[in-house]
Amino acid sequence: MSILSILFINLCMIVSIFSNNSEAKTFSFKEATIDDIQIAFKQNKLTSRQLVEYYLGEIQKANPILKGIIEVNPDALFLADKADQERKSGALLSSRLHGIPVLIKDNIATKDKLNTTAGSLALVGSIVPQDAGVVKKLRKAGAIILGKATMTEWAAFRSGILPSGWNGRLGQALNPYVASADPSGSSTGSATSVAANLAAVSLGTETAGSILYPSNANSVVGIKPTVGLTSRAGVIPISHRQDTVGPICRTVSDAVEVLDVIVGFDRDDFPATKKASTYIPHGGYRQFLKADGLKDKRLGILKDLFGSNDIKAYQHHFNTLRQKGAVLVDNLEIPNIDLVYTAIVNAQDIALFAEFKMDLNAYLKKLVHTRVRSLADVIAFNKISVSEKFKEYGQDIMVTAEKTNGIGKLEREALRNITKVCKYGFEKMMKVNKLDALLSPGPDIASLLAIGGYPGINVPAGYDKSGVPFGLSFGGLKGSEPTLIEIAYGFEQATHIRKPPPSHPR
């Protein structure tokens, strides 16, 4: 090849690179929604590679401080190039998540070069048998696995004094708005990283508040789906009865886009996903993104959830809800409230301790390779690992769980009590008052939703005097996601409260 030919090729490459960079510069990456990204893809103003490169650059700058991402996928750029090639070839794209980078909580298995550890050093180097059910659905949709989000170690089921967002692998995650504020958990990094624009969208998990709480604390939208609506196969468990996987995103519409992809039957999580699949509406969830979604909705306000200070803080939101056509039913009381609190505080713990040991042992036994095969092995590992800070944080929850021996008389009684209070407490109140949803200041409704496997959505609602975010949560009966989405989207569109965090947390 002549020197002139080589010079011409190099010049073309430089022009192409300059052209691509110029097009990308016209795209506003910060706070970009899935819709923004897909429009830019179609107009050839953006590629998946440019999008991934942007997030990798932001991660490199901010993650050493925020500690929201525990690992970046070394194949992320390769997957981005693959997505770009598919789009360029004119192939029929399977989903609106095609080419979109997704951050995955570190307790959700990925069969790739990433670890799946629930933040624990005990599982570093372990090999999972396959992708988690929700990850399979993401890959099928053409999404790019960007990396693993940090989390409270073992989803906060190691110790009662373990700080939210801390784990032995990465240390303490920070709230991107106010460094001294609680980043909450256990899906800490899924919330903080999306809030700080280190990823487009993310997945979290919840057993009792782990999506709603960090979403509230970091000014993002979190959807806690009905248990079984999304597969838990391949998720490091606490309880098959309460665990669920859901999206954490900057907007309701993005969260719904992700939800549409990850819901549905999974033979590896049977019969829960089979039963819950009957709740999935024909045509998916996007159709419920209605600006007038609040019209004629009956929203309940519980005495026990909203104190006098909460009423003052949320009064303007109540006014907005009414102005948009919602009917607020206040001063409500849950029937048998004392029994409900007993179930939340006592019966739930009794059941979770036994379920955790059984479910975790079953998960660990299925791993292709691991240094720990049981909860007892994890407890022993924590005692000898300096980085796990056993002396500082202990592992009282794990020790209590290890002492259980399956579902015995005590556990069966606890489970019966939980079923009873759900039916004659929360469900009765919702049905008698013909409520579409129950309102909650922040995530205070989380425990009530957890014990019955009910869905909930958190939407940003404001910032206190120090700049710490807070949200408004909506909870409903099983399968009520369509109604909750209408309500959450209607509220979001009426308020537009979310704002990105400062470049450095205060």
Side-chain angles (χ1 to χ4, degrees):
M1 189 180 286
S2 68
I3 293 173
L4 282 173
S5 296
I6 293 170
L7 287 171
F8 178 72
I9 291 168
N10 287 340
L11 180 62
C12 287
M13 287 175 67
I14 291 166
V15 169
S16 174
I17 290 167
F18 178 77
S19 175
N20 284 340
N21 286 342
S22 297
E23 286 171 351
K25 281 177 184 175
T26 65
F27 179 76
S28 180
F29 288 96
K30 201 170 186 180
E31 298 288 290
T33 64
I34 290 172
D35 198 45
D36 295 333
I37 293 166
Q38 289 297 346
I39 289 170
F41 283 162
K42 285 177 184 175
Q43 295 176 346
N44 293 318
K45 291 181 178 178
L46 181 69
T47 65
S48 290
R49 170 172 269 272
Q50 289 166 342
L51 190 59
V52 169
E53 284 177 339
Y54 170 77
Y55 287 127
L56 291 178
E58 293 301 295
I59 290 166
Q60 193 172 14
K61 285 188 288 186
N63 202 55
I65 297 166
L66 296 180
K67 294 187 177 180
I69 297 172
I70 206 163
E71 275 185 63
V72 167
N73 187 356
D75 291 332
L77 286 172
F78 167 78
L79 295 171
D81 289 339
K82 182 170 175 282
D84 287 334
Q85 288 164 8
E86 289 169 352
R87 200 180 304 110
K88 198 176 287 185
S89 72
L92 185 64
L93 304 182
S94 54
S95 159
R96 283 171 55 80
L97 283 194
H98 185 276
I100 303 289
V102 182
L103 194 61
I104 308 291
K105 188 177 178 180
D106 186 42
N107 61 346
I108 302 173
T110 54
K111 184 71 171 173
D112 51 19
K113 294 171 185 174
L114 293 165
N115 283 288
T116 303
T117 69
S120 171
L121 290 161
L123 285 176
V124 172
S126 63
I127 300 172
V128 299
Q130 60 182 347
D131 279 335
V134 290
V135 173
K136 288 179 184 177
K137 289 180 184 294
L138 286 172
R139 291 199 201 275
K140 187 177 179 182
I144 297 164
I145 307 303
L146 182 64
K148 289 291 179 75
T150 198
M151 58 182 286
T152 313
E153 190 175 300
W154 294 107
F157 222 70
R158 172 185 143 179
S159 160
I161 60 170
L162 201 67
S164 290
W166 183 90
N167 61 62
R169 286 190 65 193
L170 194 62
Q172 181 63 54
L174 292 186
N175 185 308
Y177 288 88
V178 179
S180 59
D182 183 3
S184 197
S186 67
S187 303
T188 312
S190 302
T192 62
S193 300
V194 163
N197 284 274
L198 306 189
V201 294
S202 72
L203 286 190
T205 67
E206 175 156 335
T207 306
S210 289
I211 289 174
L212 297 180
Y213 271 91
S215 297
N216 170 77
N218 295 283
S219 199
V220 287
V221 174
I223 299 180
K224 181 236 176 199
T226 299
V227 169
L229 196 67
T230 54
S231 172
R232 291 82 48 81
V235 176
I236 299 174
I238 291 178
S239 161
H240 61 275
R241 184 179 48 81
Q242 290 188 199
D243 291 348
T244 187
V245 181
I248 298 178
C249 306
R250 289 183 289 271
T251 65
V252 175
S253 60
D254 279 0
V256 170
E257 299 268 20
V258 176
L259 185 68
D260 263 331
V261 167
I262 63 174
V263 297
F265 175 72
D266 181 2
R267 65 184 180 185
D268 293 324
D269 190 8
F270 180 90
T273 55
K274 185 174 187 296
K275 184 178 179 182
S277 65
T278 60
Y279 295 132
I280 302 171
H282 181 70
Y285 292 100
R286 277 189 73 205
Q287 61 187 301
F288 301 103
L289 295 170
K290 301 174 182 178
D292 64 348
L294 287 166
K295 189 178 180 183
D296 298 327
K297 296 296 190 299
R298 290 178 60 84
L299 309 178
I301 299 174
L302 270 183
K303 273 184 184 179
D304 294 282
L305 284 180
F306 283 92
S308 57
N309 289 335
D310 293 320
I311 293 290
K312 289 176 186 175
Y314 286 88
Q315 190 61 57
H316 65 293
H317 289 322
F318 296 160
N319 294 337
T320 299
L321 293 169
R322 289 189 181 99
Q323 286 165 10
K324 293 298 177 179
V327 177
L328 270 57
V329 185
D330 55 10
N331 290 314
L332 287 175
E333 291 184 1
I334 295 181
N336 307 301
I337 189 64
D338 291 340
L339 294 177
V340 172
Y341 280 128
T342 300
I344 289 172
V345 176
N346 298 326
Q348 180 180 212
D349 282 352
I350 290 168
L352 289 180
F353 288 141
E355 289 163 344
F356 178 56
K357 180 182 177 180
M358 292 187 300
D359 292 352
L360 181 63
N361 285 351
Y363 172 88
L364 294 173
K365 284 185 173 73
K366 289 179 184 176
L367 292 177
V368 176
H369 169 76
T370 177
R371 73 183 88 187
V372 289
R373 289 285 178 189
S374 67
L375 175 58
D377 290 348
V378 175
I379 290 170
F381 176 89
N382 289 341
K383 288 180 179 177
I384 61 171
S385 172
V386 175
S387 297
E388 288 295 349
K389 296 191 177 182
F390 168 70
K391 289 182 180 178
E392 190 172 346
Y393 296 134
Q395 52 183 343
D396 58 290
I397 293 175
M398 285 187 161
V399 170
T400 302
E402 177 58 27
K403 289 176 183 175
T404 63
N405 190 26
I407 304 297
K409 184 179 178 182
L410 181 66
E411 289 79 16
R412 281 194 295 272
E413 184 182 354
L415 290 169
R416 278 196 299 270
N417 287 339
I418 289 170
T419 301
K420 190 185 297 181
V421 300
C422 287
K423 184 176 180 180
Y424 298 109
F426 179 63
E427 291 180 17
K428 183 179 179 180
M429 181 203 64
M430 292 290 290
K431 290 171 183 175
V432 167
N433 292 282
K434 298 178 181 177
L435 298 179
D436 292 295
L438 192 63
L439 298 183
S440 165
D444 292 1
I445 198 176
S447 294
L448 190 58
L449 300 179
I451 59 172
Y454 308 115
I457 304 180
N458 176 83
V459 182
Y463 305 85
D464 69 14
K465 292 176 182 177
S466 302
V468 178
F470 61 88
L472 182 64
S473 290
F474 307 91
L477 297 174
K478 289 181 182 179
S480 64
E481 279 85 354
T483 302
L484 294 180
I485 288 165
E486 287 183 340
I487 294 166
Y489 186 71
F491 174 73
E492 177 195 54
Q493 294 304 299
T495 55
H496 290 290
I497 284 166
R498 176 184 153 74
K499 58 185 178 184
S503 54
H504 295 285
R506 296 174 186 148

